[in-house]
Amino acid sequence: MTETAFRLDNAWHPVEADAGGAFVFTLTNLSEEPVEGFKLAYTSLTRVKDAPACENAQFLMRNANFHQFAPPQSFVLQPGASWRFTVQGLWRPARHRTDGAKSAYLTLASGQHVAVDVDDLLLEGRFSEPAPVLLPEGKVTEPFSLLPWPAQAVLTPGDSVPVTLCPADGTALADLQAMQQVNGLYRRLFAVAHIPFSLSPTAQGKALQFAANPALGASAYRIDFAANIALSYGDAAGRQYGLTALAQMLHGARTAPAQFRFPAAGHIEDAPRYGWRGCHLDVSRQFYPTDDVIRLIDILAWLKLNIFHWHLTDDEAWRLEIKAYPQLTTVGVLRGPDEPMLPQLGNGAEPVGGFYSQDDVHKIVAHAASLQIEVVPEIDIPGHSTAILTALPDLVDGQEAPDSYRSVQGFPNNALNPAIERTYEFLGTVFDEMATLFPSPLVHVGGDEVAANTWMASPLAKRLMEEQGLDGTFGLQSHFMKRIQQMLKARGKTVAGWDEVSHGGGVDPEGTLLMAWQKPEVGLDLARQGYDVVMTPGQAYYLDMVQDEAWQEPGASWAGTVPPHHTYTYEAVADFPEDLRPRMRGVQTCIWSEHFLNRAYFNHLVFPRLPAVAEAAWTPKDNKDWLRFAALAPLMPRL
C-alpha cells in the first residue's frame, strides 16, 4: 500500500447538553484492496474521556494525546468506501481548526502500521469564519527602521544611504571583531542582502568611530550621527546592540526606501528596559534540528533579546545527551507504534526521535554567548517525566498502581517520586554533566503541573510523608524541590522554575527565580513571597495561543485569545507596587511546540508576536507605538 492509501477527515459539531460536543471521523480507503480487522490511531490535543460514547466504533485506549479505535466486528472497508464514526465525551469543545487530529495511522490485522493522511478539523453546525488580518498596514512618523525602538532617538533623515559603514583609523581589534560578528549575524539572517559593515574604507561609505564608556551602564550605547558616526558603549553587549541598531537602519533604508531613511544627523541614546528579555523553546514535543535552534538564537540577537530558555525535557521526550545515562536519548526519545512511548502530537506510523549531543550543546551555547545571549537549560521535574521513567524504570515505586493519577495532559504516573533515593542520585549525575555544558548560573527545574493526587498511592511516598510531617502532594513537592535546590547550590547553580515551585511551602526564595505563567496576578504574589520573578503569562506571552477567535485561526486556546496587539501593549509590571518592582526581573515569551508541526505554522504563530515581546522587553512604555511596530515588524527575519 502507498503512503496515501487512506484519508481521515475529522469534524467537530456541537451537541445539546454536552459542552464538549463530538468528533465525527470519516476514514476513506483509497487503496485497491479491502481491509478488515484493523485499528485506527490518531493524536489530538482535544482528548476524549476514559469512557467516551462511540457510534459505529469501539474505543480501545487513550494515552495522553494518543487515541485508538476499532470499527465494529466483521467490518470490511472496501476500496473507495468510507468508515464514519462519532465520538462524544470530549474533555473540552474544539474551538479552532488545529484542535482535531494531528496525525493518524492504521494498524492492520497483520500488525503492519500504515500512514493515514489527515488535515485540519472542520466545523459542522455553524459558520466557519475566516481568520482576519492580524497586523494593520502600519505607519511611521519617524522614518527609521529600529525594532525594538530605542529609549531616546533624536534623528534627522538623510537623502542617501551609505554603501557600508567602515571602521575609523586606529579602531581596536575587539571593535573590529564586533563589527564582523554583526556582519555574520546579518548575513545569516538576510542571505541576499548587502552587508552593513566593511572592515576597510569604501567609496560612499561612512567612518564609524568606537569609544568604550562604562558610565553608560550595562548593555547601553549611544550613537551620534554627523559626517561620520560615533558609537559609544557601556560594555560588549552595548556595543553589539549599537551595531545591530546601525545594521537595522541600513537594512530598512535599503529594502524599503519609500518608508525608511538612514540618519544624517542626531543621536540615539539607548539601554534596555529590563535585564531579562527571554524566549523559551520547547524541543520535547517537537524536535528542532541544531541549525534551526541556531537560527532562532540569531533572530533573538537581532531583536536584542538576551535569554534563551531551552526546555529540553518533558513527558514526550528527553532531548539532552547525558553520557552516564545513554538510555535517556535512546529509549527516552523514541515515540512510535511499537516503541516504548506511543505516538504523540503529530507522530504517525513511523517512529520518531532526535536529541542534542553534548557537542551540539557546546556549539549552541558558544554561538549564543558570542551574541550576548545566555542559555538557561530546563529539565522539567518532578512532573512531566514520562520519558525519564520510561528510560529508567528503576525510578518507579513498584508498589504504586500504574494508573493511580494522571497529569493535566493525561499522562499516567508521570512524576519522579521524592521518596526514592535513587531519584536524587540520578539527578545529581545529570546536574554534574549539565554544569559542564551550561555556563549559566541558573538551572530551570520546571516544577509545574504536578497533579493534585500525585504519589498518594505510593507506599514509599506515604512513609516519607509520615516521617517528615509532609502534607500531601505539594508538601512532597516542596520537600523534593528543597533537596534539588541544595544539590544545585553544591554545584554552584541556583534554581529557576515555574511558579508552582512555590507550592507546598516552596523553596528558599533567596536567589530563586520563578516564572509566572498561569496568570499575571501570580507574579505579584511571588514577589510578595520574596521570589525574583520573570513575567511570562500565557494570556499575553505564550506564542502557541491563537491570535483570533476565528475557527480558521490555528493554535491553542486554553489561555484565551492572544492577538499581536495585546502582546505588544501588555504591561507586565503594571500591578507591581514600587517597592516590589526590583523583584520583577523582566519578561519572557514561551514557544510551546504542540501545534508546530511545520515551519509555516511556527512562523505564523511566532511572528509578529516575538518582535512584539522584544519591544515590550526593551522599549520604555511611553516610547511604544503600535502603528510604528506594525510597519516595522514585516522587516524582521523568520525561522
Side-chain angles (χ1 to χ4, degrees):
M1 292 183 180
T2 67
E3 289 190 359
T4 58
F6 296 92
R7 162 77 184 193
L8 181 68
D9 289 302
N10 61 140
W12 181 86
H13 68 84
V15 175
E16 190 175 348
D18 184 346
F23 278 148
V24 179
F25 293 100
T26 305
L27 177 71
T28 303
N29 182 359
L30 299 172
S31 77
E32 297 179 359
E33 302 172 14
V35 292
E36 60 182 312
F38 62 88
K39 302 171 185 176
L40 170 68
Y42 70 86
T43 67
S44 175
L45 283 164
T46 305
R47 294 177 285 274
V48 304
K49 298 177 182 178
D50 285 340
C54 300
E55 181 180 330
N56 201 33
Q58 305 172 60
F59 171 67
L60 299 180
M61 68 170 296
R62 177 176 72 85
N63 180 283
N65 307 292
F66 174 89
H67 303 74
Q68 192 176 53
F69 293 83
Q73 287 187 356
S74 303
F75 176 82
V76 180
L77 184 58
Q78 298 289 346
S82 297
W83 166 42
R84 181 182 175 93
F85 67 98
T86 302
V87 178
Q88 188 177 339
L90 309 179
W91 279 109
R92 62 174 179 82
R95 296 187 175 93
H96 297 273
R97 63 186 172 97
T98 44
D99 284 338
K102 292 190 174 298
S103 60
Y105 67 90
L106 292 186
T107 300
L108 304 181
S110 65
Q112 178 188 359
H113 306 295
V114 179
V116 173
D117 184 49
V118 65
D119 215 319
D120 289 341
L121 183 67
L122 302 176
L123 175 64
E124 291 186 353
R126 62 175 188 248
F127 178 65
S128 174
E129 67 275 20
V133 174
L134 297 168
L135 200 65
E137 183 177 344
K139 179 181 179 182
V140 293
T141 56
E142 298 177 74
F144 307 106
S145 175
L146 285 164
L147 201 166
W149 195 258
Q152 183 185 90
V154 181
L155 301 171
T156 301
D159 294 325
S160 62
V161 181
V163 173
T164 61
L165 305 183
C166 317
D169 291 343
T171 296
L173 174 61
D175 297 327
L176 294 173
Q177 291 171 335
M179 292 179 74
Q180 185 57 25
Q181 185 71 43
V182 176
N183 258 351
L185 172 66
Y186 185 83
R187 170 64 71 233
R188 293 189 298 273
L189 294 176
F190 306 102
V192 299
H194 192 288
I195 59 170
F197 307 116
S198 170
L199 299 187
S200 59
T202 304
Q204 299 177 331
K206 273 198 169 190
L208 176 59
Q209 298 173 315
F210 291 86
N213 182 4
L216 288 174
S219 301
Y221 66 92
R222 179 184 171 102
I223 307 175
D224 289 283
F225 297 88
N228 294 319
I229 299 171
L231 169 60
S232 305
Y233 54 88
D235 58 8
R239 176 176 57 201
Q240 178 182 293
Y241 298 145
L243 288 168
T244 302
L246 290 168
Q248 284 189 354
M249 287 188 288
L250 279 171
H251 180 70
R254 290 168 176 166
T255 57
Q259 275 187 304
F260 302 110
R261 312 274 283 281
F262 192 80
H267 72 274
I268 295 172
E269 193 160 340
D270 201 11
R273 183 180 185 185
Y274 297 122
W276 186 287
R277 305 180 304 282
C279 177
H280 152 292
L281 179 66
D282 159 27
V283 298
S284 179
R285 277 59 179 263
Q286 313 295 344
F287 180 70
Y288 297 76
T290 295
D291 287 348
D292 285 356
V293 176
I294 286 174
R295 169 80 179 183
L296 178 61
I297 288 171
D298 282 342
I299 293 169
L300 304 187
W302 187 249
L303 296 171
K304 300 189 176 76
L305 294 164
N306 68 338
I307 301 291
F308 176 55
H309 173 176
W310 202 3
H311 186 86
L312 287 159
T313 75
D314 215 297
D315 287 303
E316 290 83 354
W318 176 288
R319 302 292 190 188
L320 173 64
E321 180 189 22
I322 300 296
K323 293 185 181 296
Y325 295 101
Q327 57 269 56
L328 288 171
T329 45
T330 54
V331 177
V333 297
L334 286 177
R335 304 195 297 256
D338 299 316
E339 301 300 334
M341 292 189 293
L342 288 168
Q344 300 287 343
L345 301 171
N347 310 144
E350 296 298 321
V352 297
F355 68 94
Y356 303 96
S357 71
Q358 295 198 0
D359 287 343
D360 293 331
V361 173
H362 283 302
K363 179 180 178 181
I364 289 167
V365 169
H367 183 78
S370 73
L371 296 170
Q372 308 300 323
I373 292 172
E374 177 183 341
V375 178
V376 176
E378 179 185 353
I379 59 165
D380 202 347
I381 53 175
H384 289 279
S385 293
T386 297
I388 301 174
L389 296 170
T390 302
L392 303 172
D394 59 325
L395 299 183
V396 175
D397 181 354
Q399 303 174 78
E400 184 178 21
D403 197 354
S404 57
Y405 65 89
R406 293 189 187 183
S407 72
V408 67
Q409 288 84 14
F411 286 95
N413 292 29
N414 73 328
L416 296 177
N417 195 316
I420 297 177
E421 196 61 27
R422 179 90 174 87
T423 297
Y424 303 101
E425 296 172 13
F426 158 69
L427 291 172
T429 302
V430 169
F431 293 150
D432 287 339
E433 294 197 27
M434 290 180 71
T436 69
L437 294 171
F438 298 99
S440 172
L442 293 167
V443 173
H444 198 294
V445 294
D448 60 313
E449 294 186 325
V450 174
N453 61 336
T454 299
W455 308 304
M456 292 300 97
S458 163
L460 293 176
K462 287 183 176 180
R463 188 180 310 136
L464 178 62
M465 291 168 62
E466 293 170 1
E467 292 172 353
Q468 299 291 327
L470 304 174
D471 184 15
T473 292
F474 298 114
L476 282 166
Q477 179 175 332
S478 177
H479 171 86
F480 173 85
M481 282 298 178
K482 285 173 180 174
R483 284 197 64 173
I484 297 303
Q485 185 175 46
Q486 291 305 311
M487 291 168 64
L488 288 172
K489 184 177 181 181
R491 292 161 174 81
K493 303 290 187 179
T494 54
V495 167
W498 303 109
D499 54 56
E500 295 99 319
V501 170
S502 66
H503 289 181
V507 298
D508 182 359
E510 183 63 33
T512 300
L513 181 71
L514 298 187
M515 297 181 176
W517 69 273
Q518 296 188 72
K519 52 186 178 180
E521 309 90 88
V522 170
L524 179 57
D525 185 54
L526 292 173
R528 288 188 178 121
Q529 295 177 52
Y531 293 103
D532 285 347
V533 180
V534 170
M535 294 296 289
T536 179
Q539 296 79 4
Y541 291 160
Y542 271 31
L543 302 189
D544 57 318
M545 292 297 117
V546 290
Q547 299 177 85
D548 189 82
E549 294 181 0
W551 176 270
Q552 294 181 30
E553 185 63 24
S557 58
W558 63 262
T561 301
V562 185
H565 181 264
H566 177 61
T567 299
Y568 182 79
T569 56
Y570 174 72
E571 279 294 304
V573 78
D575 295 326
F576 281 70
E578 286 296 329
D579 62 317
L580 291 179
R581 289 194 173 191
R583 293 215 171 275
M584 209 288 256
R585 294 270 303 278
V587 300
Q588 177 173 292
T589 188
C590 290
I591 302 172
W592 296 102
S593 294
E594 287 91 338
H595 288 281
F596 296 134
L597 303 187
N598 56 56
R599 191 175 299 250
Y601 268 131
F602 184 98
N603 283 331
H604 179 83
L605 285 162
V606 170
F607 301 98
R609 292 184 297 182
L610 177 60
V613 177
E615 187 145 298
W618 182 282
T619 305
K621 176 184 177 182
D622 291 344
N623 285 14
K624 290 161 70 175
D625 182 321
W626 167 244
L627 288 180
R628 181 194 64 222
F629 171 82
L632 289 166
L635 274 68
M636 296 302 108
R638 297 188 170 203
L639 195 65

